[in-house]
């Protein structure tokens, strides 16, 4: 079996279950030594007692298959615990080459019903969690590059969502966090490229504990067929982006699910209007913009089934 990640070490956050687990197993299958991080709280809203069991079980699964892995119990949204997570890779494997940010929670509510804590907690785990690990990994890579006098090997794979692309009415906190992650990714890609580090983000569609209600009834498999929304469809792309073949892939956003990968373009200007004089007036804006939007239904939105291209099975 080809092992393009042999000799490399990786950190995968939120790897005790679902997507993170599948990604950690794939990186190990491709030859990487893996630090399996998970805070281990049973509730998808981040509730319940932290437990090392989920991370330890995945690490044991990797070792049983002949790979190298250690478990790490830690909250990536805590700055010092994120520092300790990166340090655990350095202490165990001597360096860090790959960072996969996947950890997250959900606190779904409509914008008019959402409380401050529900907003803050989701932003904290998703967006701050991505920042914390990326910060400490980038400190390591920059120092290595200065020490060696040239580029090093570094890969960041972040987890965004189509909730950012298409909107999600009941997830203003989650959609905002996932949009922020894309901004963090492109900024990191620009800042770290000169050191040999790439940063990319994926928008995965997968049936996990986090999304069981979102995808309930959609494309459910029959018999022994692999679920088209199984996390195992996402993991190979993460393995590719973590590998040497993706050296020229940087600052990109990719949608992935069920045997499909789509490269998302950066936003483009759809229409442009120039003021007749130096500054637009209200009336002039009404004249140019209102006709442009006139043929669109009032309060036009796109439902999840339309945007995601999902069909109930």
């Amino acid at each position: 079996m080809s092992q393009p990640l042999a000799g490399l070490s990786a950190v995968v956050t939120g790897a005790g279950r679902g997507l993170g687990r599948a990604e950690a197993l794939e990186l190990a299958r491709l030859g990487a030594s893996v630090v399996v991080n998970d805070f281990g709280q049973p509730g998808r809203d981040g509730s319940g007692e932290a437990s090392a069991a989920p991370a330890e079980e995945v690490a044991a699964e990797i070792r049983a298959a002949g790979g190298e892995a250690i478990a790490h119990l830690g909250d990536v949204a805590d700055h010092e615990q994120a520092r300790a997570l990166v340090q655990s890779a350095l202490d165990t494997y001597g360096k860090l080459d790959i960072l996969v940010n996947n950890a997250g929670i959900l606190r779904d509510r409509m914008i008019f019903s959402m409380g401050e804590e529900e907003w803050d907690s989701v932003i904290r785990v998703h967006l701050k969690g991505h920042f914390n690990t990326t910060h400490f990994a980038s400190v390591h890579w920059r120092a290595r590059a200065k020490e060696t006098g040239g580029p090093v090997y570094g890969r960041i794979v972040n987890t965004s969502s189509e909730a950012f692309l298409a909107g999600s009415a009941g997830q203003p906190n989650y959609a905002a966090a996932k949009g922020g992650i894309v901004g963090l990714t492109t900024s990191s890609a620009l800042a770290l490229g000169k050191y040999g580090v790439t940063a990319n983000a994926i928008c995965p569609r997968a049936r996990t504990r986090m999304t069981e209600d979102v995808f309930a009834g959609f494309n459910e498999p029959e018999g022994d067929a692999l679920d088209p929304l199984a996390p195992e469809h996402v993991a190979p792309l993460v393995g590719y982006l973590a590998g040497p073949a993706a050296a020229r892939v940087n600052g990109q956003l990719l949608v992935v699910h069920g045997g499909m990968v789509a490269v998302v373009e950066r936003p483009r200007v759809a229409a442009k209007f120039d003021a007749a004089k130096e500054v637009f007036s209200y009336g002039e804006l009404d004249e140019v913009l209102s006709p442009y939007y006139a043929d669109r239904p009032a309060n036009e939105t796109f439902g999840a089934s339309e945007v995601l291209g999902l069909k109930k099975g």
Side-chain angles (χ1 to χ4, degrees), residues 13-29:
T13 72
R17 306 177 179 93
L19 273 173
R21 173 184 174 273
E23 292 162 353
L25 292 174
E26 177 69 4
L27 295 183
R29 188 186 71 81

Side-chain angles (χ1 to χ4, degrees), residues 206-231:
R207 200 189 315 272
T208 67
R209 185 174 57 115
M210 291 275 287
T211 62
E212 58 189 1
D213 54 343
V214 175
F215 294 130
F218 286 98
N219 294 338
E220 291 186 346
E222 297 181 1
D224 296 329
L226 179 64
D227 186 348
L229 291 173

Side-chain angles (χ1 to χ4, degrees), residues 70-152:
I70 62 169
H72 180 273
L73 170 67
D75 177 7
V76 295
D78 181 287
H79 205 58
E80 289 307 309
Q81 291 185 50
R83 182 200 302 272
L85 170 59
V86 171
Q87 190 63 45
S88 69
L90 304 184
D91 292 342
T92 306
Y93 303 119
K95 60 186 174 68
L96 174 63
D97 304 293
I98 300 160
L99 171 63
V100 179
N101 285 309
N102 174 74
I105 63 171
L106 293 177
R107 298 281 179 89
D108 294 352
R109 201 174 291 273
M110 302 294 281
I111 187 64
F112 42 78
S113 302
M114 180 165 289
E116 182 180 15
E117 194 278 332
E118 292 164 325
W119 173 271
D120 287 348
S121 61
V122 169
I123 298 295
R124 175 182 179 272
V125 175
H126 287 274
L127 186 52
K128 187 183 178 186
H130 272 62
F131 160 74
N132 284 343
T133 53
T134 299
H135 167 71
F136 291 114
S138 66
V139 168
H140 167 64
W141 287 321
R142 182 170 179 261
R144 276 175 55 195
K146 287 190 172 184
E147 182 180 342
T148 61
V152 299

Side-chain angles (χ1 to χ4, degrees), residues 59-312:
E61 187 175 354
I62 290 172
R63 292 193 296 268
E68 292 188 36
I70 62 169
H72 180 273
L73 170 67
D75 177 7
V76 295
D78 181 287
H79 205 58
E80 289 307 309
Q81 291 185 50
R83 182 200 302 272
L85 170 59
V86 171
Q87 190 63 45
S88 69
L90 304 184
D91 292 342
T92 306
Y93 303 119
K95 60 186 174 68
L96 174 63
D97 304 293
I98 300 160
L99 171 63
V100 179
N101 285 309
N102 174 74
I105 63 171
L106 293 177
R107 298 281 179 89
D108 294 352
R109 201 174 291 273
M110 302 294 281
I111 187 64
F112 42 78
S113 302
M114 180 165 289
E116 182 180 15
E117 194 278 332
E118 292 164 325
W119 173 271
D120 287 348
S121 61
V122 169
I123 298 295
R124 175 182 179 272
V125 175
H126 287 274
L127 186 52
K128 187 183 178 186
H130 272 62
F131 160 74
N132 284 343
T133 53
T134 299
H135 167 71
F136 291 114
S138 66
V139 168
H140 167 64
W141 287 321
R142 182 170 179 261
R144 276 175 55 195
K146 287 190 172 184
E147 182 180 342
T148 61
V152 299
Y153 190 101
R155 299 285 188 269
I156 301 170
V157 183
N158 289 333
T159 307
S160 185
S161 169
E162 288 170 298
F164 144 70
L165 289 171
S168 183
Q171 298 181 306
N173 47 6
Y174 180 77
K178 291 306 189 181
I181 286 168
V182 174
L184 173 64
T185 302
T186 54
S187 176
S188 300
L190 290 171
L192 300 176
K194 64 182 179 181
Y195 301 118
V197 179
T198 66
N200 296 287
I202 62 170
C203 293
R205 305 177 196 167
R207 200 189 315 272
T208 67
R209 185 174 57 115
M210 291 275 287
T211 62
E212 58 189 1
D213 54 343
V214 175
F215 294 130
F218 286 98
N219 294 338
E220 291 186 346
E222 297 181 1
D224 296 329
L226 179 64
D227 186 348
L229 291 173
E232 287 73 18
H233 287 296
V234 175
L237 176 62
V238 174
Y240 166 76
L241 292 173
R248 296 179 62 85
V249 184
N250 195 24
Q252 300 297 300
L253 177 65
L254 302 99
V255 177
V256 54
H257 77 104
M260 184 279 296
V261 173
V263 179
V264 180
E265 283 190 322
R266 293 178 184 270
R268 295 187 298 171
V269 175
K272 181 176 177 292
F273 306 96
D274 296 313
K277 298 181 179 180
E278 186 177 2
V279 179
F280 271 111
S281 67
Y282 178 94
E284 188 181 4
L285 287 169
D286 180 31
E287 289 177 0
V288 296
L289 290 178
S290 295
Y292 178 74
Y293 289 105
D295 294 333
R296 303 192 181 194
N299 301 319
E300 180 183 26
T301 60
F302 296 91
S305 62
E306 294 170 297
V307 174
L308 303 182
L310 300 173
K311 296 181 180 179
K312 286 198 173 185

